[in-house]
């Protein structure tokens, strides 16, 4: 099949990736090995992806959860999760990101011991496939590193067998001063092997040992893993920490062109197996660098919109949308075939690196101080000249929005719902962390037990206790789930909320954050207007330019908009979705 266009394309990717690497295998052989690994043995196996085609629409919502975020005695957590989804999410959620569900040694799953099996404490592949039958399954491809307790790393130590040459090493005397780090631990791990002392590169922790993708055997191993996950029902791949994949001593070893080319190669292989499978890159880096992972609609289908969480939280605790508005105006529309993946809470904290260049140091400092006053923890990273800078804020989103810079107040739930209203209306595919859907508060007991700041937002709910709370109309959990679910149902019915529908930022002052969406067929318009402060505000209808010949309705309240009144009064943190059509 050497004459097939796919063959030539894969070979070209390889020639670009390994241009500066001496290989002991030919590009033709490696191309054939990769195509075989992904399951393409002949031209008949090749699917035909459409360029710039959107494999998503306004109905797509992704829930992010651990496999054991909800548990029941004497029941596998994945079974409990599936039951929870069917009971509470069947009319709202259609995709589920189950965070790493493999055997692991640390970092709550992101230090993978074995990529090919399901953690027995969670369930089995049968349980994963059962969820994948009813929901689009999003699976982590932890591609930058694995556990120091893996068989691969054991073989590295023994200097024999698969994995013996899979890991990146450097010399302590090398100039590593430019390396970008998300942690303050030493970069190199001293390791005694059968071939003597080696120093293994560890971007995140000494239990997370980094792969050496200069060795094509590593690439082949991951294509085998990708094929397995596809066979088990995966429809979305999250490429974890992919920005750090390629290392070059003497460089910053982040976002290197070889990394981008590896993503392009994986995209090429995957989309020729199943064009509907989506790749999402997880690159917790400054905004400008993050955008490069779209490529020319030939890398990631979607990128995490990492700047949104810190900017939105900052907006709602200061009552000033200046920075959020400036950022939104600067964001290029995602071209067809690509989309932003919007989220405002996740299993990690509120990243601050993506706010660099968007919030100044004083704003970041005030935000950090406010979150600490709300019970949040701060994780740090090493920066230039060995200084430490805040890397992320560890706090549940519900508690992050319990008040303003002035302190806690009575608007916690309304402020929290406002945050989700803003996200759900924006251009892009929404992702909701399970603990935001449930209105979960900070888990200080888990932090004390684990010693890890991130545990504050990783509560493990007993499903019987949770169901009691969700059934109580007076609990924060019931209020949050009910109101967020209502917003999701409204969103899913509106063509103007398609992830690629037109978006335009409105100029309504610093205390009203607004934007306009228009459906791809230009028939539906929605004006999303949000009071982001703790006082009532008035907006003039002339400021949002509602066309007088149309009938307008607020999709949230179902109230008709009376154009003759000339204005609308907004309660603190109220959201209006003003539309000329209602499809719910």
């Amino acid at each position: 099949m050497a004459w097939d266009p796919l063959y030539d394309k894969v070979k070209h990717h390889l020639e670009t990736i390994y241009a500066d690497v001496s290989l002991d295998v030919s590009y033709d052989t490696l191309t054939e090995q990769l195509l075989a690994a992904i399951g393409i043995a002949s031209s008949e196996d090749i699917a035909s992806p459409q360029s710039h085609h959107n494999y998503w629409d306004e109905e797509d919502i992704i829930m992010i959860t651990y496999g054991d975020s909800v548990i029941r005695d004497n029941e596998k957590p994945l079974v409990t999760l599936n039951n929870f989804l069917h009971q509470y999410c069947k009319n709202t959620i259609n995709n589920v990101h189950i965070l790493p569900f493999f055997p692991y040694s640390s970092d709550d799953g992101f230090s993978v011991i074995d990529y090919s099996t399901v953690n027995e404490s969670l369930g089995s592949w049968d349980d994963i496939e059962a969820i994948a039958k009813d929901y689009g399954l999003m699976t982590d491809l932890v591609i930058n590193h694995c556990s120091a307790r893996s068989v691969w790393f054991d073989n590295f130590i023994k200097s024999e067998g698969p994995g013996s040459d899979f890991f990146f090493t450097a010399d302590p005397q090398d100039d590593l001063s430019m390396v970008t780090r998300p942690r303050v631990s030493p970069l190199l791990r001293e390791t005694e092997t059968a071939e003597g002392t080696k120093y293994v590169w560890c971007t995140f922790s000494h239990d997370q040992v980094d792969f050496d993708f200069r060795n094509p055997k590593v690439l082949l191993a991951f294509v085998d893993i990708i094929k397995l996950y596809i066979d088990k029902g995966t429809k979305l791949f999250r490429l974890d920490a992919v920005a750090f994949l390629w290392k070059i001593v003497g460089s910053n070893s982040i976002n290197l062109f070889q990394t981008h080319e590896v993503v392009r190669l994986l995209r090429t292989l995957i989309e020729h197996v199943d064009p509907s499978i989506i790749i999402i890159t997880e690159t917790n880096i400054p905004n400008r660098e993050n955008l490069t992972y779209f490529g020319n609609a030939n890398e990631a289908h979607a990128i995490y919109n990492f700047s949104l969480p810190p900017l939105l939280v900052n907006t709602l605790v200061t009552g000033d949308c200046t920075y959020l508005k400036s950022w939104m105006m600067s964001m290029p529309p995602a071209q067809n075939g690509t989309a932003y993946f919007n989220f405002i809470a996740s299993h990690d904290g509120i990243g601050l690196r993506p706010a660099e260049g968007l919030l100044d140091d004083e704003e970041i400092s005030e935000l950090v101080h406010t979150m600490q006053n709300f019970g949040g923890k701060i994780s740090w990273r090493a920066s230039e000249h060995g200084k430490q800078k805040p890397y992320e804020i560890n706090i549940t989103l519900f508690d992050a929005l319990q008040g303003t810079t002035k302190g806690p107040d009575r608007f916690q739930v309304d402020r929290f719902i406002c945050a989700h209203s803003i996200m759900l209306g924006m251009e892009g595919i929404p992702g909701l962390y399970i603990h935001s859907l449930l209105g979960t508060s900070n888990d200080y007991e888990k932090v004390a037990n684990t010693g890890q700041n991130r545990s504050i937002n990783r509560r493990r709910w007993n499903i019987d206790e949770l169901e009691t709370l969700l059934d109580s109309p007076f609990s924060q959990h019931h209020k949050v789930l009910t109101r967020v679910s209502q917003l999701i149902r409204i969103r899913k019915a509106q063509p103007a909320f398609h992830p690629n529908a037109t978006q335009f930022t409105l100029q309504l002052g610093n205390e009203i954050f607004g934007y306009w969406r228009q459906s791809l067929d230009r028939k539906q318009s929605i004006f999303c207007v949000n009071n982001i402060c703790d006082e009532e505000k008035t907006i003039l209808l002339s400021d949002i330019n509602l066309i007088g010949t149309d009938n307008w309705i607020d999709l949230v309240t179902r109230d008709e908009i009376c154009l003759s009144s000339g204005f609308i009064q907004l309660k603190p943190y109220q959201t209006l979705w003003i539309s000329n059509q209602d499809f719910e």
Side-chain angles (χ1 to χ4, degrees), residues 133-144:
K133 286 180 182 178
D134 296 314
Y135 302 90
L137 175 65
M138 181 166 164
T139 303
D140 282 282
L141 190 68
V142 185
I143 196 169
N144 177 70

PDB file of all heavy atoms in Angstrom, residues 133-144:
ATOM      1  N   LYS A 133     -21.689   2.536  25.873  1.00  0.00           N
ATOM      2  CA  LYS A 133     -22.845   2.227  25.037  1.00  0.00           C
ATOM      3  C   LYS A 133     -23.839   3.378  25.005  1.00  0.00           C
ATOM      4  O   LYS A 133     -24.543   3.578  24.008  1.00  0.00           O
ATOM      5  CB  LYS A 133     -23.546   0.959  25.571  1.00  0.00           C
ATOM      6  CG  LYS A 133     -22.799  -0.334  25.272  1.00  0.00           C
ATOM      7  CD  LYS A 133     -23.561  -1.530  25.835  1.00  0.00           C
ATOM      8  CE  LYS A 133     -22.807  -2.827  25.578  1.00  0.00           C
ATOM      9  NZ  LYS A 133     -23.517  -3.998  26.176  1.00  0.00           N
ATOM     10  N   ASP A 134     -23.928   4.125  26.109  1.00  0.00           N
ATOM     11  CA  ASP A 134     -24.936   5.173  26.221  1.00  0.00           C
ATOM     12  C   ASP A 134     -24.370   6.585  26.209  1.00  0.00           C
ATOM     13  O   ASP A 134     -25.126   7.553  26.051  1.00  0.00           O
ATOM     14  CB  ASP A 134     -25.745   4.975  27.505  1.00  0.00           C
ATOM     15  CG  ASP A 134     -26.532   3.674  27.507  1.00  0.00           C
ATOM     16  OD1 ASP A 134     -27.180   3.377  26.488  1.00  0.00           O
ATOM     17  OD2 ASP A 134     -26.485   2.953  28.516  1.00  0.00           O
ATOM     18  N   TYR A 135     -23.058   6.719  26.387  1.00  0.00           N
ATOM     19  CA  TYR A 135     -22.431   8.043  26.445  1.00  0.00           C
ATOM     20  C   TYR A 135     -21.152   8.027  25.621  1.00  0.00           C
ATOM     21  O   TYR A 135     -20.464   6.999  25.545  1.00  0.00           O
ATOM     22  CB  TYR A 135     -22.104   8.424  27.896  1.00  0.00           C
ATOM     23  CG  TYR A 135     -23.299   8.432  28.804  1.00  0.00           C
ATOM     24  CD1 TYR A 135     -23.680   7.283  29.505  1.00  0.00           C
ATOM     25  CD2 TYR A 135     -24.067   9.581  28.951  1.00  0.00           C
ATOM     26  CE1 TYR A 135     -24.801   7.280  30.321  1.00  0.00           C
ATOM     27  CE2 TYR A 135     -25.187   9.589  29.763  1.00  0.00           C
ATOM     28  CZ  TYR A 135     -25.548   8.438  30.451  1.00  0.00           C
ATOM     29  OH  TYR A 135     -26.669   8.446  31.250  1.00  0.00           O
ATOM     30  N   GLY A 136     -20.848   9.166  25.025  1.00  0.00           N
ATOM     31  CA  GLY A 136     -19.559   9.285  24.359  1.00  0.00           C
ATOM     32  C   GLY A 136     -18.457   9.218  25.400  1.00  0.00           C
ATOM     33  O   GLY A 136     -18.415  10.037  26.321  1.00  0.00           O
ATOM     34  N   LEU A 137     -17.569   8.245  25.282  1.00  0.00           N
ATOM     35  CA  LEU A 137     -16.535   8.027  26.296  1.00  0.00           C
ATOM     36  C   LEU A 137     -15.280   8.822  25.958  1.00  0.00           C
ATOM     37  O   LEU A 137     -14.716   8.677  24.882  1.00  0.00           O
ATOM     38  CB  LEU A 137     -16.191   6.536  26.383  1.00  0.00           C
ATOM     39  CG  LEU A 137     -15.028   6.160  27.312  1.00  0.00           C
ATOM     40  CD1 LEU A 137     -15.364   6.471  28.764  1.00  0.00           C
ATOM     41  CD2 LEU A 137     -14.664   4.676  27.136  1.00  0.00           C
ATOM     42  N   MET A 138     -14.853   9.641  26.899  1.00  0.00           N
ATOM     43  CA  MET A 138     -13.604  10.381  26.769  1.00  0.00           C
ATOM     44  C   MET A 138     -12.574   9.728  27.683  1.00  0.00           C
ATOM     45  O   MET A 138     -12.810   9.549  28.880  1.00  0.00           O
ATOM     46  CB  MET A 138     -13.808  11.845  27.149  1.00  0.00           C
ATOM     47  CG  MET A 138     -12.576  12.725  27.029  1.00  0.00           C
ATOM     48  SD  MET A 138     -13.075  14.474  27.121  1.00  0.00           S
ATOM     49  CE  MET A 138     -11.523  15.280  27.455  1.00  0.00           C
ATOM     50  N   THR A 139     -11.437   9.338  27.095  1.00  0.00           N
ATOM     51  CA  THR A 139     -10.406   8.604  27.812  1.00  0.00           C
ATOM     52  C   THR A 139      -9.102   9.377  27.795  1.00  0.00           C
ATOM     53  O   THR A 139      -8.743   9.985  26.777  1.00  0.00           O
ATOM     54  CB  THR A 139     -10.181   7.221  27.155  1.00  0.00           C
ATOM     55  OG1 THR A 139     -11.413   6.503  27.128  1.00  0.00           O
ATOM     56  CG2 THR A 139      -9.144   6.411  27.913  1.00  0.00           C
ATOM     57  N   ASP A 140      -8.402   9.336  28.910  1.00  0.00           N
ATOM     58  CA  ASP A 140      -7.097   9.994  28.988  1.00  0.00           C
ATOM     59  C   ASP A 140      -6.024   9.152  28.320  1.00  0.00           C
ATOM     60  O   ASP A 140      -5.929   7.945  28.572  1.00  0.00           O
ATOM     61  CB  ASP A 140      -6.698  10.222  30.454  1.00  0.00           C
ATOM     62  CG  ASP A 140      -7.417  11.404  31.064  1.00  0.00           C
ATOM     63  OD1 ASP A 140      -7.009  12.544  30.789  1.00  0.00           O
ATOM     64  OD2 ASP A 140      -8.394  11.176  31.796  1.00  0.00           O
ATOM     65  N   LEU A 141      -5.239   9.780  27.492  1.00  0.00           N
ATOM     66  CA  LEU A 141      -4.016   9.178  26.994  1.00  0.00           C
ATOM     67  C   LEU A 141      -2.873   9.894  27.717  1.00  0.00           C
ATOM     68  O   LEU A 141      -2.477  10.991  27.346  1.00  0.00           O
ATOM     69  CB  LEU A 141      -3.894   9.353  25.482  1.00  0.00           C
ATOM     70  CG  LEU A 141      -2.773   8.548  24.815  1.00  0.00           C
ATOM     71  CD1 LEU A 141      -3.084   7.054  24.868  1.00  0.00           C
ATOM     72  CD2 LEU A 141      -2.549   8.999  23.385  1.00  0.00           C
ATOM     73  N   VAL A 142      -2.400   9.269  28.790  1.00  0.00           N
ATOM     74  CA  VAL A 142      -1.344   9.877  29.614  1.00  0.00           C
ATOM     75  C   VAL A 142      -0.025   9.607  28.894  1.00  0.00           C
ATOM     76  O   VAL A 142       0.664   8.631  29.152  1.00  0.00           O
ATOM     77  CB  VAL A 142      -1.361   9.307  31.045  1.00  0.00           C
ATOM     78  CG1 VAL A 142      -0.352  10.042  31.919  1.00  0.00           C
ATOM     79  CG2 VAL A 142      -2.761   9.424  31.640  1.00  0.00           C
ATOM     80  N   ILE A 143       0.322  10.509  27.989  1.00  0.00           N
ATOM     81  CA  ILE A 143       1.321  10.230  26.970  1.00  0.00           C
ATOM     82  C   ILE A 143       2.714  10.757  27.298  1.00  0.00           C
ATOM     83  O   ILE A 143       3.699  10.335  26.693  1.00  0.00           O
ATOM     84  CB  ILE A 143       0.842  10.810  25.608  1.00  0.00           C
ATOM     85  CG1 ILE A 143       1.637  10.224  24.441  1.00  0.00           C
ATOM     86  CG2 ILE A 143       0.878  12.329  25.627  1.00  0.00           C
ATOM     87  CD1 ILE A 143       1.042  10.546  23.080  1.00  0.00           C
ATOM     88  N   ASN A 144       2.829  11.643  28.258  1.00  0.00           N
ATOM     89  CA  ASN A 144       4.140  12.233  28.563  1.00  0.00           C
ATOM     90  C   ASN A 144       4.962  11.384  29.525  1.00  0.00           C
ATOM     91  O   ASN A 144       6.196  11.404  29.480  1.00  0.00           O
ATOM     92  CB  ASN A 144       3.953  13.633  29.164  1.00  0.00           C
ATOM     93  CG  ASN A 144       5.269  14.271  29.559  1.00  0.00           C
ATOM     94  OD1 ASN A 144       6.072  14.636  28.705  1.00  0.00           O
ATOM     95  ND2 ASN A 144       5.515  14.382  30.864  1.00  0.00           N
TER      96      ASN A 144
END
